[in-house]
Amino acid sequence: MKNTFTLKQKMIDYLVHFKLRIESNNRFGLYDVNKLSQRFLATLLNIASSNSNGNYKDLDKISYNYPAIDVGCLNQKIAYQITSQNDTSKICDSIATFKEKHIEKKF
């Protein structure tokens, strides 16, 4: 039980550090970390969903600059957009592109 708590606490610490690193880089105009984080988060989602049919991929590896979403699992029909922007216009634009490109047929 103690090991599980320690592991969860370490994961929280690492994720907080990850978030802060991205925010700091973005403040200085360094956005490459956002693209690099897609592969990392796909791997993390695969580990987290190891008991299910998870096979998350960095969708930019399938098609450069995949529209509207960044990480997805065709088996589970789940997709995520990995972004450091959370303003309303970004969200609305992504949803519009998702619908326009009929991505809901895949995910």
Side-chain angles (χ1 to χ4, degrees):
M1 186 79 141
K2 185 178 179 183
N3 287 339
T4 302
F5 176 78
T6 302
L7 181 60
K8 286 179 183 179
Q9 192 59 50
K10 280 185 178 184
M11 285 298 297
I12 290 168
D13 292 345
Y14 287 134
L15 290 171
V16 167
H17 183 260
F18 178 69
K19 178 183 181 283
L20 292 172
R21 172 66 61 103
I22 291 171
E23 289 173 347
S24 296
N25 282 13
N26 286 188
R27 265 187 249 127
F28 288 103
L30 304 172
Y31 299 104
D32 58 334
V33 69
N34 297 357
K35 286 285 187 189
L36 295 172
S37 66
Q38 291 175 198
R39 183 175 179 198
F40 167 74
L41 291 169
T43 302
L44 186 62
L45 286 166
N46 284 325
I47 292 168
S49 65
S50 64
N51 294 333
S52 62
N53 200 12
N55 188 18
Y56 290 90
K57 304 272 187 218
D58 175 355
L59 298 176
D60 283 348
K61 301 294 181 198
I62 294 171
S63 176
Y64 179 74
N65 208 15
Y66 201 95
I69 55 177
D70 301 306
V71 173
C73 177
L74 290 168
N75 299 341
Q76 294 183 329
K77 297 192 176 291
I78 297 174
Y80 296 95
Q81 182 179 67
I82 310 301
T83 181
S84 57
Q85 294 177 274
N86 63 355
D87 57 276
T88 304
S89 64
K90 171 71 172 180
I91 295 167
C92 290
D93 289 347
S94 296
I95 291 170
T97 302
F98 190 86
K99 290 179 178 180
E100 178 185 304
K101 303 283 186 179
H102 303 287
I103 297 171
E104 76 278 0
K105 292 179 180 178
K106 291 182 180 181
F107 294 97

